[in-house]
Each structure stands twice: as structure tokens, then as C-alpha cells.
Amino acid sequence: MKDTLVGSIARPALFAVALLFSAAAAWAPRASAASAAEIASESAQALQKLQAQEPKARALAEKATAILVFPKIVKAGMLVGGEGGEGALIKNGRAQAYYNLAAVSFGLQAGIQTFSYALFFMNDQALQYLDRSDGWAVGAAPNVVVVDKGAAASMSSTTLTQDVYAVPFGQEGLMAGIGLEGSKITRMDPK
């Protein structure tokens, strides 16, 4: 009986893993085919959209040393999930470097979703950590605070004390939860 129960649970999980890896393999070549100009343009447009919709994001941008913008992150999962996207580090109004974001998750999850993320680096030390790291795992140093609508309402220029502020925006699709915890951000050299 126990073997039958384990088998009935394991088969759908293995199917979900195979399906996820097939989808990731089909999606990966298109995701990495974006040129530096395309990534820079999409990142700048996404940042402009965020600032137009959210006045607090505009205030963060004015104080930030640099902003890492991921204009489109795709998250999909069925027990096993993954997310990925490409973005540009914008400093002084121009794209300075390009990054890839990737994560894998396990647990009760189902669905597909796209969203955008802007990471506001508030000081040179946080930005230097990004430059020095060989793939920055979000959740490790520096301190990252996720700014949702509730947190944004109480933010002011005197309460900005963290190294990095992460602002999710532009969510589309159905999947519970958006987060970068456990994501790995790696510098890349697009064409």
C-alpha cells in the first residue's frame, strides 16, 4: 500500500519536473537572445512605467546610486518551480551592466506569472557588493527590503535606511507569491 501511495505521488511530481525542464529549455534560447540594446531599452521603459505609477519609486530613484531593473521575469511551477529574466543596471540614466536572474523552488505551487522588479541600490557599498560577487544570491548581504504598497505608504526620505529596496510591479498571470529570496543574480555579457 505504501509503495502504491509513493508511486502515485512520485509520478505526477516527476511529470511536473520533466514538463518544467522542457518549458525552461524551450524558453531559455529566446531569453538569452536579447541584445544589450533591447535589454537596456526594455529596462528603461519598465523603470519609467514604475515611476509614473508609483510616486515612492520616483523618490527612491532620486536617492539611489543605481537601479537594477528586470523588465520581465517569468515564474512558472507545478510542485517544482523556476523563474528567470534579464535586466540592466541603470546608473546616471544609462545602462552600465547587464544581469540575469534565476531561481528554482520546490513546494506547493502551480501556475505561471510574469512580473517586473526594480532593485534600488542606495549606497556605493551595496553596489560594490553586486560588482564583486560572482553571482549575488538575494537574501545574502547586503540588506534587501521588499517594498509593497503598504510599505511604500509609510516611506519617506528620512526612513530610507536599507542598502537595497526591491519593488515588484506589473504582475500578470496566476501564481501565489512573488519574491526574490533565493534568486541568484549574475552579471552577463549580451550581444
Side-chain angles (χ1 to χ4, degrees):
M1 174 88 169
K2 184 177 179 182
D3 289 337
T4 306
L5 179 61
V6 171
S8 66
I9 293 173
R11 274 186 233 108
L14 288 174
F15 176 74
V17 170
L19 183 63
L20 179 65
F21 286 125
S22 297
W27 178 70
R30 277 182 253 127
S32 63
S35 70
E38 289 170 324
I39 296 169
S41 174
E42 291 172 4
S43 296
Q45 288 173 7
L47 183 58
Q48 287 174 350
K49 180 180 175 182
L50 171 63
Q51 290 177 333
Q53 293 174 347
E54 196 58 55
K56 297 293 183 173
R58 207 171 19 253
L60 279 171
E62 290 171 5
K63 301 270 185 198
T65 300
I67 307 162
L68 179 53
V69 181
F70 292 97
K72 185 176 182 181
I73 298 171
V74 177
K75 180 177 184 177
M78 178 60 86
L79 298 177
V80 176
E83 63 185 55
E86 296 175 334
L89 181 70
I90 300 172
K91 186 173 182 178
N92 300 323
R94 295 186 47 222
Q96 302 290 316
Y98 302 91
Y99 290 85
N100 177 290
L101 178 138
V104 175
S105 58
F106 303 93
L108 188 57
Q109 56 191 321
I112 186 165
Q113 182 175 51
T114 62
F115 59 98
S116 304
Y117 240 98
L119 295 161
F120 294 84
F121 288 81
M122 304 308 289
N123 55 54
D124 288 328
Q125 293 83 2
L127 190 56
Q128 288 168 4
Y129 186 87
L130 176 66
D131 287 337
R132 285 191 320 260
S133 65
D134 182 30
W136 177 44
V138 179
N143 294 328
V144 177
V145 172
V146 176
V147 179
D148 59 13
K149 294 235 184 244
S154 64
M155 255 177 28
S156 72
S157 59
T158 58
T159 61
L160 298 177
T161 59
Q162 300 301 313
D163 296 327
V164 181
Y165 289 89
V167 180
F169 62 101
Q171 293 92 341
E172 294 179 8
L174 295 172
M175 186 158 209
I178 293 178
L180 286 182
E181 189 76 26
S183 297
K184 187 172 182 180
I185 297 173
T186 309
R187 190 168 181 155
M188 59 180 233
D189 294 316
K191 298 174 184 177

